[in-house]
Amino acid sequence: MRESQAIQRLRRIATSPAALGLADDTALLDGLVLTHDSIAEGVHFLPADPAASVGWKLVTVNLSDLAAKGASPAAALLSLALSGDDAWDMSFLDGIEAACESYGLALVGGDTIALPAGAPRVFGLTAIGRAGERVPLRKGGKDGDVLWLIGTLGDSAAGLELLREDGASTGPLVDIYRRPVPLLAPGQVLAPHAHAMMDVSDGLLLDAMRLAEASALNAEIDLDAIPLSKAFIAERGESLDARLFAATGGDDYALLVAMPPDVDPLSLSLPRGTTIARIGTLAAEGSLLSLSSGGSPVPLPEHLGHEHRGNSPA
Ligand code: TPS
């Protein structure tokens, strides 16, 4: 089964208004923003990744969903699966502790089980945030909105490729793959002004298409405007191919924001050093997602991003 098929079925179960029709990355309940992300060995992290970085990543990918709603971190529940390797498990918890402390998230409970011998590691975390004055959803985009991207794209996917080629690779790209930084402060500054916001975890093109679809609009993206880091450019260059790689790789934890055209996010008090770029627009006309580079249209690549699917042939 594909992820999208599973979600269709889940929508008939998750009928509470808090679930937002499962059309967002979070649920909203009594002023709280709720999210849950899991992290599995071989799917989200490599068996050789340092245990502390896996713990860090579990917390920060959840915080990224809170960031996209402009929420402030409050509390977390951890689903911990002990692997039998005590040093690994202790170090994993060090990573959980470091991330919780860094971002003011209080671990308040959860559950611990022991994995069967040899089973791949899987962990889950529920993060709970306090909503700000406005919670921008995926579906709030309006005709004529400007699409802004906060953060850079492709670093993590490039880091993963380096690790796949040579597990001993180090450097900024590998660090970003292993230790994403949730953009909480920018999210809180932008949320009161944004029509729609989401984090880019599955790849910009797939996530932008989801935002456009949820808003019943069409997204146009200028690939030349996609922000790339110096480390990414040094590794892969800035060609159209490199930009398409960056726009589809995923694991970025950047923020995609649909802003009314009369709001200039550069005039808001974003933290010093925030990378922000105007990458496109939302429009009533056009196709769900269209790309351009050098002023010419670019055909959509076959894979727009990361979609989970089971092993059955369907
Ligand atoms: C070992 N990847 C896995 S899940 C995901 C991406 C881009 C999207 C976000 O996950 N292989 C390894 N590690 C990785 N991180 C990837 C592949 C790439 P979700 O949709 O579950 O939030």
Side-chain angles (χ1 to χ4, degrees):
M1 209 197 302
R2 282 175 179 273
E3 187 178 354
S4 49
Q5 292 171 311
I7 291 172
Q8 269 181 25
R9 173 71 185 95
L10 287 166
R11 285 205 171 108
R12 302 207 303 274
I13 306 172
T15 53
S16 149
L20 305 172
L22 301 187
D24 214 89
D25 298 300
T26 59
L28 291 184
L29 190 71
D30 296 339
L32 298 175
V33 179
L34 313 178
T35 189
H36 183 97
D37 261 327
S38 316
I39 181 166
E41 186 176 319
V43 179
H44 299 88
F45 65 94
L46 296 164
D49 282 335
S53 77
V54 178
W56 174 276
K57 191 165 180 170
L58 177 61
V59 174
T60 53
V61 298
N62 275 282
L63 289 176
S64 177
D65 284 321
L66 295 186
K69 304 296 116 180
S72 32
L77 301 167
L78 172 68
S79 168
L80 173 66
L82 299 172
S83 66
D85 177 343
D86 291 356
W88 200 99
D89 295 346
M90 278 300 173
S91 180
F92 170 82
L93 291 175
D94 290 343
I96 295 278
E97 182 176 34
C100 284
E101 274 183 1
S102 289
Y103 297 108
L105 189 67
L107 185 68
V108 295
D111 185 33
T112 304
I113 60 162
L115 284 173
R121 295 179 166 99
V122 187
F123 305 99
L125 191 113
T126 299
I128 302 165
R130 287 189 188 85
E133 55 184 278
R134 262 187 41 106
V135 178
L137 304 181
R138 284 188 189 187
K139 66 173 184 194
K142 303 271 183 293
D143 185 13
D145 277 356
V146 176
L147 291 175
W148 296 85
L149 191 94
I150 321 303
T152 58
L153 296 182
D155 303 287
S156 182
L160 174 60
E161 283 221 350
L162 289 174
L163 284 171
R164 284 207 168 117
E165 284 156 24
D166 171 6
S169 279
T170 55
L173 299 173
V174 167
D175 287 350
I176 292 173
Y177 168 70
R178 287 181 171 156
R179 292 182 172 267
V181 174
L183 299 174
L184 285 160
Q188 286 164 13
V189 170
L190 294 164
H193 308 275
H195 279 157
M197 181 148 57
M198 66 186 292
D199 76 331
V200 179
S201 54
D202 289 342
L204 173 67
L205 300 190
L206 189 55
D207 286 333
M209 192 185 247
R210 288 170 173 161
L211 189 148
E213 200 169 19
S215 302
L217 291 167
N218 304 296
E220 298 171 21
I221 290 180
D222 175 6
L223 292 168
D224 301 337
I226 285 176
L228 302 174
S229 71
K230 286 199 180 97
F232 179 91
I233 294 169
E235 180 63 29
R236 304 192 70 106
E238 299 178 78
S239 65
L240 182 57
D241 268 3
R243 289 180 175 280
L244 283 168
F245 173 86
T248 55
D251 248 343
D252 300 296
Y253 309 104
L255 299 179
L256 175 64
V257 194
M259 277 282 180
D262 59 344
V263 178
D264 178 6
L266 301 173
S267 70
L268 302 175
S269 41
L270 286 165
R272 200 176 288 271
T274 303
T275 305
I276 172 161
R278 185 191 162 114
I279 60 159
T281 49
L282 283 180
E285 305 297 313
S287 51
L288 188 54
L289 176 66
S290 53
L291 307 178
S292 66
S293 172
S296 307
V298 172
L300 290 189
E302 193 185 336
H303 293 290
L304 299 177
H306 189 278
E307 212 200 0
H308 295 286
R309 62 177 298 173
N311 290 324
S312 69

